[in-house]
Amino acid sequence: MRRRVLDWYAVHARPLPWRDPETTAWGVFVSEVMSQQTPVGRVEPVWREWLARWPTAGDLAAESPGEVVRAWGRLGYPRRALRLREAAVAMVEHHDGEVPQDEDALRSLPGVGAYTAAAVAAFAHGRRTVVVDTNVRRVLARTLQGRAQAAPALTAAESRLAAEVVPQDPETSAVWNVAVMELGALVCRARSPECEACPVRDLCAWVAAGRPADDGPPRRGQAWHGTDRQVRGAIVQTLRESPDAIARAGLEHAVCTRLRLDPARHAAQVDRCVGSLVEDGLVEPVDGDRLRLPA
DNA sequence: CAATCGTGGAA
DNA sequence: TTTCCAAGATT
């Protein structure tokens, strides 16, 4: 199993820029945060802009939150941009401006959870960690458990299983971690798995079982139309595109127009979302009734 | 533990 | 057209 996956990766790995040996730990760190819940294909162009503009943690730490959110563009979940900047500040203040190597130190940074800490320790520093992302969970669920998809949330049994299959040698373990992720992203995909092209199809428990459909509870889809998330997104997008602060009434109008919502019916919702964005530090009130990205 | 938090492309 | 979901983190 391990040899097959490692050999497959050696041939089929995508040439992502942050996999270049020349890429710094900071570059890897940025790529991991940007890739949280965002397809890597969408991350790549923004990552290039960021690394050219802010080549080190110190460079980003010195930037204003608003500029960082603006440069985040449409990657989604803009709070990640704020936390990435806060993580850079923490690196400057507590880690001599460098990306920590220790998994626990990484985990303590803003916006860094179990996955990102393990990934950065492995891919930026060559540490032996157990990287468990959505790809790894799906690959292990299929190959070892014979299930179509992993459980809705990460279970202790899953973590144990993932830890067992990571090679002992640190160098090999890092390649293994990224290789399983890549296999899940390119071949063992969630929707249309390409088992014919899979290096471990002949020892995959799911294939052996005839690729049974998922037997778990149906996943409730994320509601979108008319939600606060949609409204928040439109607010931040509008402010991102405006070099100047915008009056509250003008912002409400712009957001409702953008989303084709009745202003009379949704003014309160827009207002409430502005409030939550201010609390999150994504929006800043100025001059009494005007709003902008935080300076 | 479950809800919340953006966005856009593919099925 | 609607649905699914992608290198998760936080509360």
Side-chain angles (χ1 to χ4, degrees):
Chain A
M1 166 110 172
R2 292 191 185 125
R3 187 75 263 159
R4 303 260 197 95
V5 173
L6 292 169
D7 288 345
W8 173 87
Y9 180 76
V11 174
H12 296 93
R14 291 169 292 181
L16 300 175
W18 46 88
R19 288 181 182 162
D20 188 312
E22 300 295 305
T23 298
T24 62
W26 168 245
V28 173
F29 185 85
V30 171
S31 80
E32 289 301 338
V33 174
M34 286 184 170
S35 298
Q36 292 167 356
Q37 294 289 282
T38 300
V40 297
R42 215 177 304 166
V43 165
E44 191 168 337
V46 182
W47 181 89
R48 291 185 187 283
E49 290 173 20
W50 275 53
L51 267 290
R53 185 171 178 182
W54 301 299
T56 70
D59 295 320
L60 186 70
E63 188 57 85
S64 77
E67 265 314 291
V68 171
V69 169
R70 188 166 275 117
W72 190 254
R74 304 183 64 83
L75 290 180
Y77 295 143
R79 289 191 293 193
R80 288 183 295 158
L82 293 181
R83 292 180 179 141
L84 183 42
R85 178 181 165 283
E86 289 163 11
V89 170
M91 289 180 203
V92 169
E93 291 184 351
H94 305 302
H95 302 284
D96 199 26
E98 300 295 320
V99 177
Q101 302 201 17
D102 182 67
E103 208 173 341
D104 290 327
L106 284 162
R107 181 66 180 74
S108 72
L109 296 171
V112 176
Y115 162 77
T116 303
V120 172
F123 307 147
H125 302 302
R127 297 262 179 130
R128 181 185 183 280
T129 64
V130 181
V131 177
V132 185
D133 78 326
T134 184
N135 290 303
V136 174
R137 297 185 61 211
R138 185 174 55 253
V139 170
L140 297 184
R142 286 177 179 167
T143 58
L144 302 182
Q145 302 179 317
R147 304 169 53 84
Q149 14 177 125
L154 181 63
T155 65
E158 260 182 293
S159 298
R160 205 167 355 92
L161 190 60
E164 287 172 5
V165 295
V166 174
Q168 288 304 315
D169 171 56
E171 216 167 303
T172 311
S173 73
V175 182
W176 164 262
N177 279 324
V178 72
V180 178
M181 287 173 62
E182 192 78 334
L183 186 63
L186 299 183
V187 175
C188 195
R189 297 183 295 252
R191 298 218 212 157
S192 50
E194 201 176 348
C195 297
E196 313 75 42
C198 181
V200 294
R201 62 184 174 284
D202 57 324
L203 38 79
C204 174
W206 187 53
V207 168
R211 293 173 57 170
D214 179 51
D215 59 352
R219 296 187 173 184
R220 41 189 299 261
Q222 304 173 336
W224 178 244
H225 187 71
T227 61
D228 283 3
R229 290 165 82 174
Q230 187 189 30
V231 171
R232 283 170 54 106
I235 291 169
V236 173
Q237 185 179 352
T238 301
L239 293 177
R240 252 194 335 249
E241 294 167 354
S242 170
D244 306 306
I246 304 177
R248 185 176 293 264
L251 182 62
E252 284 179 3
H253 177 265
V255 166
C256 289
T257 299
R258 187 189 288 279
L259 301 181
R260 298 182 183 182
L261 298 174
D262 178 5
R265 216 176 295 279
H266 289 88
Q269 184 186 18
V270 174
D271 230 45
R272 178 162 43 78
C273 287
V274 167
S276 72
L277 286 166
V278 170
E279 281 190 47
D280 290 345
L282 283 163
V283 172
E284 184 174 73
V286 287
D287 299 340
D289 124 310
R290 288 150 61 81
L291 301 159
R292 68 177 181 195
L293 295 183

